Amino acid sequence: MNVVSDNYRDNWESYWRGTSDAPGEAIWDADPSLTAGPHSELLLPHADATRTVVDLGCGNGTQTRYLATRFARAVGVDLSHAAVEHARRAAEKAADGTSVEFHQLDLTDAAAVGALHDRLGDSNVYMRAVIHQSEPAARPLVAAAVARLIGTRGRAFVVELTSASRDVLRQAADGPDGPGPKLRRVFDHHLKPADADDEEIPRLLAEAGLRILAEGGTTLPQTEHLADGTRIDLPAHWFVLAAH
């Protein structure tokens, strides 16, 4: 039985099929200087940079390619085949000499996640805003995938939107002209940002056997702006994690 519904898969496939290769067209495709860069600075004091880093929910691979400059090797995985195709095209175009690869992976498929761990060994994990928009039944398995991939020696950086993001998104959607084109595409494809409650994220991480080494509040900058020119920055919370 599939934990991830066909509708959910189809929504993400159609979103990425309809997205061009232009940087920043996806609303969350922020420059790494605003995302994976500062996130790496929070993770690296706790992590072994000679280990592979796995970017879960990599999308078009913008953050994965940056992570490959900070770790010995980076592997990006995404549920969407179309997203992986975007990521591979961008990596081929960049051709910057870093070790980076991309694969389709359903994080709720424990056997596939285990096979990736068997291939890579204990790895570091980077996961930006995946649990909050996953379907409720999938969320515990996504957290379990993080734990499986880091094993006993890897470390994880997980950042998720908080409930305060809903107010920011509502403000963006309720402007005089409605949501901007990038946010409208999110709604049109029935994607659900900030769908998880704040208490759910740390509970799921703990139930997956993960312990918090460090945590804090932050924002996730988006690539769209409000009518007054203010960039949409969504409130979020980050965790650096290890196995219990």
Side-chain angles (χ1 to χ4, degrees):
M1 183 180 70
N2 288 332
V3 174
V4 177
S5 72
D6 289 341
N7 282 342
Y8 183 86
R9 293 176 190 273
D10 291 346
N11 291 343
W12 279 105
E13 286 294 349
S14 65
Y15 177 85
W16 281 113
R17 281 198 304 269
T19 301
S20 79
D21 286 342
E25 183 179 346
I27 192 171
W28 50 78
D29 189 30
D31 189 273
S33 64
L34 301 172
T35 46
H39 297 163
S40 295
E41 296 303 321
L42 295 167
L43 174 59
L44 280 166
H46 304 274
D48 178 358
T50 66
R51 294 187 181 278
T52 298
V53 61
V54 186
D55 182 6
L56 306 185
C58 67
N60 63 356
T62 298
Q63 312 309 319
T64 323
R65 296 194 306 277
Y66 173 83
L67 293 168
T69 71
R70 305 300 301 273
F71 294 85
R73 177 188 187 190
V75 176
V77 299
D78 201 280
L79 178 68
S80 166
H81 293 272
V84 171
E85 291 170 2
H86 274 288
R88 288 173 175 167
R89 286 194 298 269
E92 289 173 4
K93 184 177 181 180
D96 57 6
T98 58
S99 180
V100 61
E101 61 188 74
F102 298 96
H103 303 281
Q104 191 276 337
L105 180 70
D106 179 351
L107 294 177
T108 71
D109 184 340
V113 171
L116 182 62
H117 174 267
D118 292 345
R119 181 166 71 87
L120 300 177
D122 288 0
S123 300
N124 300 307
V125 160
Y126 178 71
M127 187 168 74
R128 180 174 63 113
V130 173
I131 295 176
H132 78 89
Q133 51 77 21
S134 296
E135 294 173 307
R139 292 171 193 162
L141 295 172
V142 172
V146 175
R148 182 72 177 94
L149 290 169
I150 69 170
T152 59
R153 293 171 292 180
R155 298 292 183 265
F157 183 90
V158 171
V159 58
E160 294 289 340
L161 299 183
T162 67
S163 58
S165 291
R166 298 170 195 164
D167 293 332
V168 178
L169 290 166
R170 191 175 301 113
Q171 178 187 4
D174 291 345
D177 299 320
K182 295 177 185 180
L183 182 57
R184 185 178 298 113
R185 290 191 64 235
V186 170
F187 296 146
D188 287 348
H189 287 271
H190 308 291
L191 308 179
K192 296 181 177 180
D195 194 47
D197 292 332
D198 294 344
E199 299 79 11
E200 184 176 4
I201 304 299
R203 175 178 61 78
L204 290 173
L205 297 173
E207 290 173 353
L210 296 162
R211 60 188 173 95
I212 297 172
L213 301 179
E215 63 178 307
T218 188
T219 62
L220 290 181
Q222 307 296 291
T223 63
E224 195 157 67
H225 296 74
L226 300 175
D228 65 2
T230 303
R231 186 180 65 202
I232 299 174
D233 287 356
L234 298 179
H237 197 89
W238 61 268
F239 306 88
V240 174
L241 304 157
H244 270 299

